[in-house]
Amino acid sequence: MSGNVGVNYGRQGNNLPSPAAVINLIRSRNISRIRLFSPDSDVLNALRGTGIGVVLNVPNPDIQRIGTDPDFAGDWIWKNVLSYSDVQYRYISVGNEIDIPHSPVSNLILPGIKNLHNALRAAGNNTPVSTTIATSPVVDAFPPSNGRFSDGSRDIMRSIVEFLVANRSPLLVNVYPYFAYSLNQQQIQLDYANFTANRVVVTDSNNGLQYRNLFDALTDATYSAIEKVGGWGVDIVITESGWPSAENGNIATIQNASTYINNLIWHVSGTSGTPKRPGKSIETYIFALFNENIKPGARDEQHFGLYYPDMGEVYPVTFR
């Protein structure tokens, strides 16, 4: 297996196949990396010895204790990481899309990162620890060079970024051109959102960088925000990006989902990078592996899968 593209293995379905069957599916499709939203012994046991790289998320409800109790953090690491020494962990993420600064655990993200980091290092394990943000804390994102963290989130993000710089760890970011396009069709064209534009759509007036797709623009706006709080050396890993295949009119269709995902894989697997960070591939995790029939939220949230619960393809995807 090879490649820098993985998948999100969500489990909010009451009809999903067993973890062992899922890991066999992943291996058969040449997928070399996955992201888990929470630790699960059946899933982690199925991953033993496979060589599949794993991004493991600390569930948001656990952040309170992870961030305030170093002993709990140490137990968490022992139970979910060190006990699976034959699982290849890429990153541990403290939370997913915490609403900074409005969530009551916003100020516990960094202490949680430090507690897990210290527990890992004490055991001689060098797995990077970070957190996963949405692009919503990034404001003034047009043009991308203007991107900055909102006034409310800036100080928290500055402290997190300082830790990431010191430990050479990436920031994990969920990037969704789908939502930007769906909410703003008057100003964003479909070909710009799904990588099919055959022209420069946006030229950044501050630096002359040219954008042919919204994915790069959103990613570079986040890089701009990171740089403004001192994170010049911090890389971004895209922990989620996807496009649903149903339940949003003519936007969420199998054709549009197929176009976006296959073009995304092609784009991030190449070495073009983004205009701000060119010359390298972009580690990216597709959302999601399965359609999940009990996932909360808008109905399109249940249709982001590459596969139906019976493991049949929603549409063909080629992992490179």
Side-chain angles (χ1 to χ4, degrees):
M1 293 182 291
S2 62
N4 64 306
V5 180
V7 294
N8 283 265
Y9 176 17
R11 304 186 68 204
Q12 292 183 298
N14 59 17
N15 54 0
L16 298 179
S18 70
V22 171
I23 301 308
N24 285 337
L25 170 68
I26 288 171
R27 299 181 76 184
S28 73
R29 298 305 170 100
N30 216 35
I31 299 169
S32 60
R33 297 174 181 175
I34 68 170
R35 177 173 177 244
L36 305 176
F37 290 93
S38 61
D40 179 275
S41 59
D42 290 338
V43 176
L44 293 172
N45 279 322
L47 285 163
R48 287 183 184 274
T50 63
I52 293 171
V54 178
V55 181
L56 181 60
N57 190 69
V58 174
N60 293 354
D62 287 351
I63 294 175
Q64 176 74 32
R65 290 197 66 189
I66 292 282
T68 57
D69 186 346
D71 290 337
F72 179 82
D75 289 344
W76 195 96
I77 288 295
W78 172 255
K79 178 181 177 182
N80 299 308
V81 180
L82 302 178
S83 295
Y84 299 93
S85 59
D86 48 355
V87 171
Q88 304 299 311
Y89 290 96
R90 291 191 61 75
Y91 315 107
I92 308 298
S93 173
V94 177
N96 181 48
E97 295 190 348
I98 297 299
D99 183 12
I100 302 171
H102 304 107
S103 168
V105 298
S106 296
N107 286 303
L108 293 175
I109 296 171
L110 180 57
I113 291 173
K114 289 180 176 178
N115 285 342
L116 296 181
H117 170 90
N118 291 339
L120 286 164
R121 298 308 180 270
N125 185 301
N126 292 320
T127 302
V129 185
S130 186
T131 189
T132 302
I133 68 166
T135 53
S136 50
V138 179
V139 297
D140 297 338
F142 182 84
S145 61
N146 282 353
R148 62 181 178 86
F149 290 117
S150 67
D151 292 346
S153 67
R154 183 175 58 245
D155 289 347
I156 292 172
M157 289 306 306
R158 184 191 306 277
S159 297
I160 291 171
V161 166
E162 287 174 354
F163 176 90
L164 299 179
V165 169
N167 291 279
R168 299 183 180 180
S169 299
L171 182 65
L172 312 178
V173 184
N174 298 341
V175 176
Y176 280 99
Y178 164 74
F179 289 117
Y181 170 70
S182 181
L183 296 170
N184 195 8
Q185 295 175 68
Q186 293 76 27
Q187 293 184 286
I188 298 173
Q189 294 177 294
L190 180 61
D191 62 352
Y192 185 53
N194 71 7
F195 296 97
T196 58
N198 58 4
R199 67 199 186 284
V200 173
V201 178
V202 170
T203 299
D204 193 312
S205 56
N206 294 319
N207 55 24
L209 294 178
Q210 296 181 328
Y211 292 85
R212 295 173 180 264
N213 66 78
L214 183 54
F215 176 90
D216 282 353
L218 291 170
T219 302
D220 277 357
T222 308
Y223 270 125
S224 295
I226 295 170
E227 291 169 359
K228 288 180 174 70
V229 294
W232 289 92
V234 173
D235 283 331
I236 286 174
V237 170
I238 307 297
T239 30
E240 290 180 31
S241 194
W243 197 290
S245 60
E247 297 292 350
N248 189 6
N250 62 1
I251 300 174
T253 65
I254 288 177
Q255 179 59 55
N256 283 345
S258 174
T259 298
Y260 179 79
I261 292 298
N262 282 287
N263 285 334
L264 171 68
I265 293 172
W266 180 268
H267 178 64
V268 301
S269 298
T271 56
S272 61
T274 70
K276 182 179 274 290
R277 298 287 182 97
K280 60 182 180 181
S281 59
I282 305 166
E283 184 173 352
T284 300
Y285 294 78
I286 293 168
F287 187 87
L289 191 57
F290 292 109
N291 286 343
E292 298 171 62
N293 68 346
I294 57 175
K295 193 172 189 300
R299 293 187 65 180
D300 59 352
E301 292 280 353
Q302 300 181 4
H303 295 273
F304 272 85
L306 304 179
Y307 298 96
Y308 296 108
D310 65 1
M311 297 194 288
E313 288 181 331
V314 179
Y315 48 85
V317 175
T318 301
F319 286 84
R320 303 176 189 283

